[in-house]
Amino acid sequence: MTWFTKWSFGNKRGVGLLAAIALLIGVFSYTTLPMEFMPEADNPQITITALGQGKNTEFMEKNVTKPIENAVGLIKGKTDMFSTSGDGYSSINLNFDGSTDMKAATQEVEKAVGQLPFPEGVMKPFIVQFNTSMIPISQLTISFKGEGLTDKNIEKAEKEILPELQKVKGAASVALYGKTSPLVMVTADPQKLAEKGVPQQALMGVLQGKNVSASIGEQNLGGKTGNVNVVSEITSVDTLKKLQVVPGVMLQDVAAVELKTDKESVTRANGEDVLYAVVTKEASANAVDVGNGVKAAAEKLTADSENAELKVVFSTSDMVVDSVDSMIQEVLMGALFATVVILLFLRNIRATLITIVSIPLSLAITLYLLDLSGVTLNIITLGGVAVAVGRLVDDSIVVIENIYRRLQKEPFSRDMILSATKEVSTAITSSTIVTVCVFLPMGLLRGGLQAFLLPFALTVTYSLLASLLVALTVVPLLSSALLRKTAMKEHEGPKWFTKFLHWNLRFKWVTLLLAVVIFAGSIGAYFMMPKAALDTSSTDAVFVTLKFPSDTPVDQVMEKAKSLEKFIIEQNAGETVILQAGNSSENAKFGQVSAPTEATLTVIMKKDVDAESFIEAVRAQKDNYAGATLSANPGGLMGASSTTEYVDIIGDDLDAIRKVADQVTAAVKPIEGVQKVTTNMEETKPVFSFTVDPSQANAQEISMQLAGMLNPMPIGQIDLNGTSSMVMLDAMLKPKSEADLKNATILSATGPVPVTSLAKFEVRHAPSQLFHKDGKTYIRVSAEVDPKKVSEIGASIKKEVNKIEAPKGVTLAAGGASATQSGDFSEILKTMLVSIGLVYLIMVLTFKTLRAPFAIIMSLPLAAIGAILLLMITGTSPDFTAAFGALMLVGIVVTNAIVLIDRIKHNEMHMTIREAILEAATTRMRPIVMTAVATICAMLPLVFGHSVSGGMNIVSKSLAIVVIGGLASATVLTLIVIPALYELLYFRKSAKQRHADTAVKSLAA
């Protein structure tokens, strides 16, 4: 690698120009790189949702869910399938292997589902496969001052406001929630029908042939050819009222005709009915630009409109800016700390400036390479920069320290600088390649982790390779220019350390035994520590859910939800309080369906508000909502945060799996750390059945008559103010009790008779929702657990579940946060083993021996001691990011050992092994400590800085704690344990050299 250094000295002006160009290109790349919160990644899941207003749970399961399950059951790459059937909806989730091509899988699912026939009244299913680019960029409320959601205002929103939002550059789609549509309800009066002698069936055909637009062909009239049309339009409710049902009887004579509004779902903001617009961006668009464009469009629309007010209540672009600013601040703080450390050690401003120049140059080159690779600027890539910033100066520190040390002993010359750089070039090159070989395989992890870790790995790889290039070219050149006339005192290693090393090498077995004992103790402590879940929560928002039993009237649910909404608004903790309830086609497009008796409130929190106190205040309202389940959890970009373990009980016999579910619930509840236990099939609702004897009556005729009597029926459409409006015939029979239903009168072959004379009336209770796993009925027992003790609680739950003897045909499967964590830890461990193997291979190729690289690898257990100790001191439970930090240590820690062993190998050419060790440890102590302290200080902002808003940050406090603790212990112990271990590996040779040296001294005496 010395070729780079020689070339740079032969092309000084060219190197200076290239450095300037690199800085300019880096700045330009930073301004042009697309900004996102997270890198684009596919979620290996496809969601199929279908709506069937008015259809009950069993109907949706039999006629919608099961046919879809059968159609998609053999899709390639599918790992499992879950479905939920409820009143008016069906939802099927297909999970896939992480290596599956999700676009191809989606097309296959669409083809399979598209061939299915569905019953009348069931909408065509929506199929969605989520990608991080589909995360809404902006969410807005649209309100109308003093007027509310009138038909005119809704039309204005659809035809004027939405198109303007859609025009924002980079906006992909704009969805509108909370819309209403006009509905004409015809309510028949049984008494008037009887007086006029009009049968109910006559009302069904009142619009037949009345609302027509027909073309009946062309005619040649007066030498001109033209079309002949017949048009009949009903454009007002008054016209509808005057239609004749039978000769001499108008509709208004026998029925009330009213114009109402039909609302699929309810959306309110701060206590008022509003429209809710959700904007998503194109995959390649800059999140910040799109978010700013939406804000500008909203402000302009509000200013130009007389009554409309648009308010951005949630913007991902704001979170992106906050995250970028926060990470840049941490990077700058890390660079500042590294600068101070170098200045304190070298005590020379010029040498410090030469070293620090590697940070902006390396970052500029990294940004350019990220731009070329198509990687966006997001929280993951910025996290990579934050992690690498301390390591960026390591190579430059080793080079400048060696030049600086040589200048203290030798006169300044070009050859001296070339020689000093060459002396350490092998060490810094091999250590950088080793570190790259640790980070780069991170991007090769399979599954969802790859999409997040590949940008991180590329960022660190690019920055480290750039820093090596700078250390071998720019740093020697600047040294030749700035250190030419610098007067320096000769640096001597600390004498106490040399004396300690003499003792350490004489009694190496004590040192090595202590190291083994401490390492074993730390590993034991690690296995005793509970493993935590990755924290994805934040206090940007609080999600509140109010869920009533399934037999609760929807009107009562809304009344209670508004009461809770009022309480939350009065707490004055949120900027905006959004209430949503009901299912709509817009929600279904994104796979979002819920029980009709469930309401969700999203509270966008004010800054500097105590979120925990607010959440406790909301939870304290539970007693005011008897029979309902009230939950409140912090959330962010990824939604509400909770850590859940679950046990699935699967089988064909619902009664059998219910009994087992009760046993599981009883076993899980007493476990320490379990906060709440629920099942997905706790609720039931009454089912009123009429069982018809086929020999006595026609069940289909009875069913059709009862459906017409008990449910509103569509009888046609009319055009009101340019909008097609449904005309519904209201239910004739509205029973208040079981007796009213049993006494319903229907027409039979013999005339009007009570329905119970032809059918047996029964009442039973059935689940309000039905759940399938891979096509079989299942009950899921879920336990919300302490997120800091996930692994411990998960193991306890599995232990208790294994004691339960399931009947034949019933199987139990445990999973949840601990299983996910175990899988992630397993992937990290595999990558760590591969990385260690690569490190050893590279070291063997570098040093041409097996023993020296073994000593280098042994620095890794030394890092584990400090990492585990610092986790225990800070009370931090190991989570995925901590494991990720341990993987990073493999690349960071060996750098110090490589620098030390490389010096020992050079010394062995003209010294004994012990002399080589003593000289190398004393000489390399300063650069080793400098690089370690610089890296540790650069990581400190990650420990004391605030977490990034929105959650899902893999570069977190626990990662920094592991890296700092591991690097600190490895640095100290590398200078103590590695020399002892190295001499032990060459014990015979070292002993012979010492005996020979003793003999020579004896002869000389």
Side-chain angles (χ1 to χ4, degrees):
M1 297 300 285
T2 54
W3 179 87
F4 283 108
T5 310
K6 290 179 180 178
W7 179 86
S8 65
F9 272 92
N11 299 273
K12 293 181 180 180
R13 291 181 177 81
V15 172
L17 184 60
L18 284 173
I21 291 172
L23 287 171
L24 290 173
I25 290 178
V27 173
F28 178 75
S29 297
Y30 174 75
T31 59
T32 57
L33 270 172
M35 285 189 180
E36 295 182 319
F37 190 78
M38 288 188 291
E40 185 176 354
D42 278 323
N43 180 20
Q45 183 184 74
I46 295 175
T47 301
I48 307 166
T49 51
L51 298 180
Q53 297 292 343
K55 309 297 183 184
N56 65 26
T57 299
E58 292 178 343
F59 179 92
M60 294 300 293
E61 181 203 34
K62 180 181 178 182
N63 298 285
V64 181
T65 304
K66 285 186 176 180
I68 293 177
E69 287 177 337
N70 293 333
V72 301
L74 298 177
I75 298 294
K76 292 179 183 177
K78 179 178 69 65
T79 55
D80 50 44
M81 173 172 60
F82 294 87
S83 69
T84 304
S85 304
D87 287 340
Y89 72 91
S90 176
S91 176
I92 300 97
N93 288 318
L94 308 176
N95 296 317
F96 290 82
D97 183 82
S99 60
T100 304
D101 182 346
M102 294 309 299
K103 289 182 175 60
T106 303
Q107 291 174 355
E108 201 174 341
V109 170
E110 288 172 346
K111 183 179 178 181
V113 175
Q115 296 173 350
L116 295 175
F118 292 98
E120 186 179 349
V122 176
M123 296 175 64
K124 181 182 176 182
F126 298 101
I127 300 169
V128 62
Q129 188 272 313
F130 288 104
N131 183 291
T132 53
S133 64
M134 297 169 64
I135 295 173
I137 199 70
S138 296
Q139 298 178 38
L140 311 89
T141 58
I142 306 173
S143 57
F144 299 91
K145 302 169 187 174
E147 298 179 17
L149 301 183
T150 63
D151 295 341
K152 182 180 178 182
N153 287 335
I154 292 172
E155 182 181 3
K156 180 178 181 179
E158 290 181 318
K159 293 185 177 180
E160 297 179 22
I161 295 175
L162 255 63
E164 289 300 316
L165 293 175
Q166 187 72 62
K167 288 179 185 177
V168 173
K169 186 178 179 181
S173 66
V174 183
L176 191 64
Y177 299 87
K179 292 184 291 186
T180 62
S181 56
L183 173 72
V184 180
M185 185 64 73
V186 178
T187 307
D189 187 327
Q191 186 175 349
K192 290 182 179 179
L193 285 173
E195 289 175 0
K196 300 288 185 179
V198 178
Q200 180 188 352
Q201 286 78 2
L203 298 178
M204 298 293 294
V206 69
L207 284 172
Q208 190 171 356
K210 303 292 197 318
N211 203 27
V212 175
S213 178
S215 177
I216 57 177
E218 293 182 345
Q219 292 294 319
N220 192 327
L221 302 176
K224 295 181 179 180
T225 301
N227 292 325
V228 180
N229 296 336
V230 176
V231 179
S232 174
E233 292 183 348
I234 301 174
T235 58
S236 69
V237 174
D238 288 338
T239 304
L240 178 62
K241 289 179 179 179
K242 294 175 182 177
L243 293 181
Q244 290 195 359
V245 183
V246 295
V249 179
M250 292 185 290
L251 183 59
Q252 64 184 7
D253 295 334
V254 292
V257 182
E258 297 176 286
L259 179 62
K260 296 185 175 182
T261 55
D262 181 28
K263 203 168 190 178
E264 288 182 315
S265 61
V266 175
T267 303
R268 291 164 58 86
N270 295 335
E272 295 181 0
D273 286 338
V274 297
L275 296 174
Y276 198 67
V278 176
V279 183
T280 58
K281 75 176 188 68
E282 295 172 349
S284 59
N286 188 312
V288 176
D289 291 343
V290 178
N292 291 338
V294 171
K295 282 183 184 177
E299 290 171 0
K300 186 176 185 300
L301 287 166
T302 301
D304 294 345
S305 175
E306 295 180 358
N307 62 342
E309 182 178 1
L310 281 74
K311 182 180 179 183
V312 177
V313 295
F314 200 78
S315 177
T316 309
S317 65
D318 290 343
M319 297 167 64
V320 172
V321 172
D322 289 344
S323 302
V324 170
D325 290 346
S326 173
M327 293 305 292
I328 287 176
Q329 183 180 353
E330 289 176 358
V331 167
L332 292 175
M333 289 295 293
L336 176 62
F337 288 157
T339 304
V340 172
V341 168
I342 296 165
L343 184 61
L344 288 175
F345 274 91
L346 297 182
R347 299 178 185 179
N348 186 292
I349 294 176
R350 291 183 180 184
T352 302
L353 291 175
I354 293 170
T355 308
I356 293 305
V357 78
S358 63
I359 293 179
L361 261 179
S362 300
L363 291 180
I365 296 170
T366 300
L367 290 170
Y368 175 63
L369 292 175
L370 289 176
D371 198 7
L372 287 181
S373 304
V375 178
T376 61
L377 200 61
N378 53 65
I379 187 60
I380 305 297
T381 49
L382 285 169
V385 173
V387 166
V389 69
R391 180 66 178 77
L392 292 182
V393 295
D394 281 9
D395 293 343
S396 296
I397 285 175
V398 173
V399 172
I400 194 68
E401 194 277 338
N402 204 46
I403 294 172
Y404 192 80
R405 185 180 58 81
R406 292 276 295 270
L407 277 173
Q408 292 172 331
K409 299 179 179 180
E410 305 172 32
F412 177 89
S413 70
R414 176 178 178 273
D415 290 337
M416 186 278 297
I417 290 180
L418 284 172
S419 174
T421 305
K422 181 181 178 180
E423 193 175 336
V424 295
S425 62
T426 301
I428 63 173
T429 301
S430 56
S431 64
T432 300
I433 292 174
V434 160
T435 310
V436 167
C437 285
V438 171
F439 280 98
L440 202 53
M442 293 180 185
L444 304 179
L445 290 173
R446 295 182 64 189
L449 285 176
Q450 185 185 43
F452 292 103
L453 295 187
L454 182 57
F456 181 90
L458 287 176
T459 303
V460 176
T461 298
Y462 291 155
S463 58
L464 292 182
L465 291 176
S467 70
L468 174 62
L469 184 63
V470 172
L472 292 172
T473 55
V474 177
V475 170
L477 271 182
L478 288 176
S479 299
S480 68
L482 297 179
L483 300 181
R484 184 179 295 273
K485 297 180 180 179
T486 306
M488 304 177 189
K489 280 186 177 182
E490 184 173 347
H491 173 73
E492 295 181 1
K495 292 181 180 179
W496 65 266
F497 182 64
T498 306
K499 289 180 181 178
F500 173 78
L501 277 177
H502 275 288
W503 179 91
N504 183 48
L505 294 174
R506 284 181 61 198
F507 301 100
K508 61 178 71 66
W509 288 106
V510 175
T511 301
L512 294 174
L513 187 61
L514 280 173
V516 170
V517 170
I518 296 172
F519 172 70
S522 64
I523 294 299
Y526 172 78
F527 282 110
M528 295 293 290
M529 295 171 72
K531 312 304 180 294
L534 178 62
D535 182 19
T536 60
S537 69
S538 72
T539 52
D540 295 325
V542 172
F543 291 86
V544 181
T545 302
L546 184 64
K547 187 175 182 180
F548 284 86
S550 55
D551 56 357
T552 308
V554 175
D555 292 343
Q556 184 179 332
V557 173
M558 279 308 304
E559 181 184 342
K560 295 292 185 181
K562 289 178 181 178
S563 171
L564 180 59
E565 175 192 51
K566 182 181 178 183
F567 169 80
I568 290 174
I569 292 172
E570 289 173 351
Q571 299 307 299
N572 198 31
E575 291 282 354
T576 307
V577 179
I578 300 165
L579 167 63
Q580 292 176 304
N583 290 320
S584 68
S585 56
E586 288 292 346
N587 283 330
K589 285 179 185 177
F590 292 94
Q592 298 171 358
V593 288
S594 61
T597 55
E598 181 178 322
T600 302
L601 294 104
T602 304
V603 185
I604 311 299
M605 300 298 292
K606 291 180 179 178
K607 292 182 179 180
D608 302 323
V609 169
D610 186 350
E612 286 299 322
S613 298
F614 170 72
I615 290 170
E616 290 303 319
V618 173
R619 289 173 178 170
Q621 294 295 302
K622 183 179 179 180
D623 295 339
N624 295 334
Y625 302 94
T629 302
L630 175 63
S631 63
N633 293 295
L637 185 67
M638 308 306 293
S641 174
S642 64
T643 310
T644 306
E645 294 290 310
Y646 65 79
V647 180
D648 289 340
I649 303 98
I650 310 154
D652 295 317
D653 186 343
L654 183 58
D655 290 333
I657 63 177
R658 269 183 174 161
K659 289 178 182 177
V660 176
D662 291 340
Q663 290 179 270
V664 172
T665 302
V668 170
K669 274 185 177 178
I671 295 174
E672 186 179 353
V674 172
Q675 298 167 346
K676 183 181 180 183
V677 180
T678 58
T679 74
N680 58 3
M681 216 174 278
E682 290 179 332
E683 293 185 15
T684 61
K685 65 185 300 183
V687 178
F688 307 104
S689 302
F690 290 97
T691 305
V692 180
D693 184 348
S695 63
Q696 300 295 321
N698 187 316
Q700 185 174 1
E701 290 183 359
I702 293 175
S703 175
M704 291 177 64
Q705 288 190 59
L706 285 175
M709 295 167 63
L710 295 170
N711 299 310
M713 302 290 287
I715 59 176
Q717 292 182 327
I718 63 174
D719 190 59
L720 297 177
N721 300 320
T723 303
S724 181
S725 305
M726 183 67 71
V727 181
M728 301 287 292
L729 177 63
D730 201 4
M732 288 286 292
L733 181 64
K734 297 181 179 179
K736 302 294 184 185
S737 64
E738 290 183 20
D740 292 342
L741 184 59
K742 288 167 66 176
N743 294 328
T745 301
I746 60 173
L747 290 175
S748 69
T750 58
V753 294
V755 67
T756 47
S757 66
L758 300 175
K760 181 182 178 182
F761 180 75
E762 295 177 322
V763 181
R764 62 185 176 86
H765 283 78
S768 60
Q769 293 176 310
L770 293 171
F771 302 88
H772 291 174
K773 181 177 183 178
D774 294 325
K776 288 189 173 184
T777 301
Y778 84 104
I779 293 178
R780 171 166 290 184
V781 178
S782 301
E784 290 185 19
V785 302
D786 184 346
K788 294 184 178 180
K789 299 180 179 179
V790 168
S791 61
E792 183 182 303
I793 299 169
S796 300
I797 289 174
K798 287 179 183 177
K799 183 179 177 181
E800 293 299 323
V801 168
N802 288 337
K803 295 178 183 177
I804 298 172
E805 294 185 9
K808 188 177 180 181
V810 177
T811 57
L812 284 78
S818 64
T820 302
Q821 181 194 72
S822 177
D824 290 344
F825 276 37
S826 176
E827 288 290 333
I828 290 288
L829 180 60
K830 289 176 186 176
T831 306
M832 189 180 293
L833 293 174
V834 171
S835 299
I836 292 172
L838 287 172
V839 168
Y840 188 68
L841 176 62
I842 293 168
M843 291 300 94
V844 169
L845 294 173
T846 301
F847 293 106
K848 308 290 190 301
T849 177
L850 295 175
R851 285 181 282 184
F854 181 76
I856 292 172
I857 291 295
M858 285 300 101
S859 62
L860 297 177
L862 306 179
I865 296 171
I868 295 167
L869 182 62
L870 194 57
L871 284 172
M872 294 173 65
I873 291 172
T874 58
T876 304
S877 297
D879 58 12
F880 168 74
T881 61
F884 189 59
L887 176 56
M888 288 171 50
L889 276 176
V890 175
I892 295 172
V893 165
V894 294
T895 301
N896 292 334
I898 290 171
V899 170
L900 176 62
I901 298 296
D902 178 71
R903 181 72 180 184
I904 293 173
K905 283 295 180 184
H906 276 88
N907 288 345
E908 282 183 26
M909 295 177 184
H910 54 274
M911 298 181 186
T912 65
I913 289 177
R914 179 161 291 189
E915 288 172 346
I917 292 172
L918 291 169
E919 192 282 337
T922 306
T923 303
R924 289 286 183 249
M925 178 186 179
R926 185 168 66 172
I928 287 174
V929 174
M930 282 175 65
T931 56
V933 175
T935 303
I936 288 171
C937 289
M939 297 291 286
L940 287 176
L942 294 176
V943 177
F944 300 107
H946 68 279
S947 63
V948 176
S949 62
M952 196 60 204
N953 181 19
I954 65 170
V955 184
S956 66
K957 179 180 177 180
S958 56
L959 178 146
I961 286 172
V962 167
V963 172
I964 290 171
L967 185 54
S969 67
T971 301
V972 174
L973 296 177
T974 292
L975 294 168
I976 299 171
V977 177
I978 298 303
L981 178 61
Y982 185 86
E983 188 174 58
L984 180 65
L985 292 172
Y986 293 92
F987 181 79
R988 289 182 180 179
K989 184 178 179 181
S990 179
K992 285 181 181 179
Q993 290 173 346
R994 291 198 305 275
H995 289 319
D997 188 52
T998 304
V1000 169
K1001 288 179 180 179
S1002 298
L1003 289 172

